[in-house]
Amino acid sequence: MSATVSDYLLYRLSQWGIRRLYGYPGDGINGILGALGRNSEFQFIQTRHEEMAAFMACAHAKFTGEVGVCVATSGPGAIHLLNGLYDAKLDHQPVVAIVGQQKSMGLGGHYQQEVDLPVLFKDVASEYIVMVSNPSAIRHAVDRAVRIARAERTVTCVIIPNDVQEETYQPPPRVHGSIHSSVGYSEPRVIPQEKDLKRAAEVLNAGKKVAMLVGAGALRAADELIEVADLLGAGVAKALLGKAVLPDALPFVTGAIGLLGTKPSWDMMMECDTLLMVGTSFPYSEFLPPEGQARGVQIDLDSRMLAIRYPMEVPLTGDSQETLRALIPLLNRKEDRSWRDGLEKGIRQWWKVVEGRAMNDANPINPQRVFHELSPKLPDGVILSSDSGSAANWFARDLKIRKGMMASLSGNLATMGCGVPYAIGAKFAYPDRPVIALVGDGAMQMNGNAELVTVAKYWKEWKDPRFIVLVLNNRDLNQVTWEQRVLAGDPRYPASQDLPDFPYARYAESLGLRGIRVDKPDQIARAWDQALSADRPVLLEAYVDPDVPPLPPHITLEQAKHFSEAIFRGDEKAAGLIKQSLKGMVEQFKPHKKD
């Protein structure tokens, strides 16, 4: 049988090293599904929803550095992809979306499920989107989509009408107007010019109090970051997407920054005289030094992301690792270590505060304690995913990352619903490594429960069965509840914030997985031991207190005012809020917390 366009699509993807597609079937991609049935090289992962396929493709890109690929049918399936694709776009991940379309002869005729897909994807796949209208065009469409996704670290889209999918593939003829493309991409070595490196070194050498902020763009530069921090006597804060860049056991790592960040990161930024940002576009400028306080140097591979968060004296376009390597010989070791010593003392005190807050009583369980008890039990090489919501607070603050671990979440889009599909994508990429998803009950009800069906469908294919979903069951859309109180001064609004008390652990058991439910603090440690030694995927449901506040590292007068307004306006949880907030603040000032 002659190869169809769909057969050639798979052949060309395989030449690019792609072997796994995430998607959901539909008649708009029947030709592609038929080709998959004829091709034993490929693994098609059937998700419960196309959005989940895009999340998994994004996770594949984040955890492997390779291109992730998702597939969806025309019309509704294509529309469903968008949120997951925007997650990839905003976090600069290479993802290719392959999308079906109605027959080409009917386009423009208001046919059933006909959507103007080039317009639909115009923003999310702005670097490259193409509709294949000729069988010979599939070759350059795939080549350009994959190459541009890799080179620009972005989303691209290939749309194939279903009649074109089933046509016989023909190589492009050697005629005017034909395109003859090829496979292959070599990552360039991008480093700034020598004169700019010298200018950067002059700024960093002149500083007496150097602060560093690193993000996901520095994931391959850990050794260089450690050396630079040592030379400059600097502390290092981590943007949330960069949580796995450096181990938290390093004495100069201040931890997360921002609303979910730590006091040492806040103190360092408010007191520094020099700021070095590497591989991060951390968005919240109010957590960086006040403008004019510090001289700035920034390194980023994407020039568009330079000097948009803080006025940088020397913005450097370059790969983080290569640029730091070129910069290191130009840096002088600072002999005065008093700045660094002060930072390290504050970090040691902070970890004691974190432990104290985690061990405070709550009704029935303090959510911080669930993460605190997990932290020392994390297996070597574990991959962590966190959903958006209050789970991200404790992920950011209470878990100590070690060398060799990986961790991610939806950074710039900060969308709910990514935690479980991220974990599934990670598990398919690394079936021999343990994976843990950290999810709130809101995200679990949004789509996590459905994707447990995907876990149940595939888990026996995984070499290591350790796959754990932690669900914080607090019956509240907790992050938004606290934002209503602290940002707007409004009391909790039950109509929007109340969640049903769903039996997550029992539901997991009904799928053939392991379910564990804890509602007492002394059950937590044993539950983690059981989950980490189980012979199948586990859902660990922790029944936690929604009144435990995600205290920011610095409470402004405006935030305090809004919180008070929410209380006085009749927040139904007022008593518990005041009690738990006081407990959290007191921990910071206990005498035994001093170094």
Side-chain angles (χ1 to χ4, degrees), residues 1 4-10 21 23-39 44 46 50 71-75 77 98-103 112-113 159-167:
M1 185 177 70
T4 66
V5 168
S6 296
D7 291 316
Y8 190 85
L9 165 72
L10 299 183
L21 308 177
Y24 198 81
D27 60 6
I29 52 171
N30 273 348
I32 297 172
L33 297 174
L36 283 165
R38 296 188 291 270
N39 190 318
F44 178 81
Q46 181 204 76
E50 291 89 351
V71 185
T73 188
S74 59
I98 299 171
V99 185
Q101 177 59 293
Q102 294 299 335
K103 282 185 170 63
Q112 184 190 33
Q113 294 190 332
I159 302 164
I160 315 173
N162 59 19
D163 56 329
V164 176
Q165 294 171 28
E166 297 180 350
E167 290 186 28

Side-chain angles (χ1 to χ4, degrees), residues 213-219 237-239 241-243 245 278-281:
L213 174 58
V214 304
L219 279 167
K238 299 187 290 186
L241 281 172
K243 183 171 176 65
V245 170
V278 184
T280 178
S281 60

